[in-house]
């Protein structure tokens, strides 16, 4: 038979485990919501962008390739550090460190 302290310990452990499970579910739902918001924002911006084609226009595939070259950590965004490495390569000119402040 369990005494009062053991029962209390079991209840506390169950509550802690339940809290951890709900926290994980909460974090996953927040991440999904953040992605939905970002995707919705991008789609709403893209609806209103109209680009006239030009003779030397970069194709979406080539633009994606260039983006991937700059996005070295493959995070889907270009950080200040990645942009600085790209600009330091001399491909688009010279920028100083204060330009990234």
């Amino acid at each position: 038979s369990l005494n009062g302290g053991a029962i209390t310990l079991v209840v506390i452990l169950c509550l802690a485990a339940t809290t951890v499970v709900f926290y994980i579910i909460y974090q996953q739902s927040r991440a999904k919501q953040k992605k939905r918001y970002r995707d919705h924002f991008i789609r709403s911006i893209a609806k209103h962008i109209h680009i006239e084609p030009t003779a030397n226009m970069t194709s979406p595939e080539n633009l994606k390739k260039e983006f991937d070259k700059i996005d070295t950590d493959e995070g889907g965004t270009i950080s200040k550090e990645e942009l600085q490495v790209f600009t330091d390569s001399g491909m688009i000119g010279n920028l100083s460190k204060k330009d990234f402040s």
Side-chain angles (χ1 to χ4, degrees):
S1 113
L2 294 175
N3 61 21
I7 293 172
T8 304
L9 178 63
V10 169
V11 169
I12 290 173
L13 289 176
C14 287
L15 287 173
T18 303
T19 302
V20 168
V21 168
F22 281 122
Y23 180 74
I24 291 169
I25 292 169
Y26 170 75
Q27 288 298 325
Q28 289 175 345
S29 68
R30 285 211 28 161
K32 288 177 185 177
Q33 181 183 34
K34 183 178 178 181
K35 182 182 180 334
R36 280 194 313 269
Y37 285 167
R38 185 181 66 230
D39 291 347
H40 177 72
F41 176 74
I42 291 169
R43 280 193 303 274
S44 65
I45 295 293
K47 283 184 202 176
H48 303 289
I49 295 177
H50 180 70
I51 301 173
E52 294 292 327
T54 61
N56 60 356
M57 185 176 199
T58 302
S59 72
E61 295 80 17
N62 287 341
L63 188 58
K64 174 74 170 121
K65 286 179 188 176
E66 291 302 317
F67 180 90
D68 290 340
K69 286 180 188 177
I70 300 169
D71 182 26
T72 56
D73 68 358
E74 299 177 359
T77 60
I78 297 175
S79 67
K80 283 184 182 181
E81 293 79 20
E82 290 170 324
L83 184 59
Q84 189 170 6
V85 168
F86 176 71
T87 58
D88 289 346
S89 72
M91 296 183 74
I92 62 169
N94 295 321
L95 298 175
S96 68
K97 296 256 186 227
K98 71 178 184 177
D99 293 324
F100 290 95
S101 300

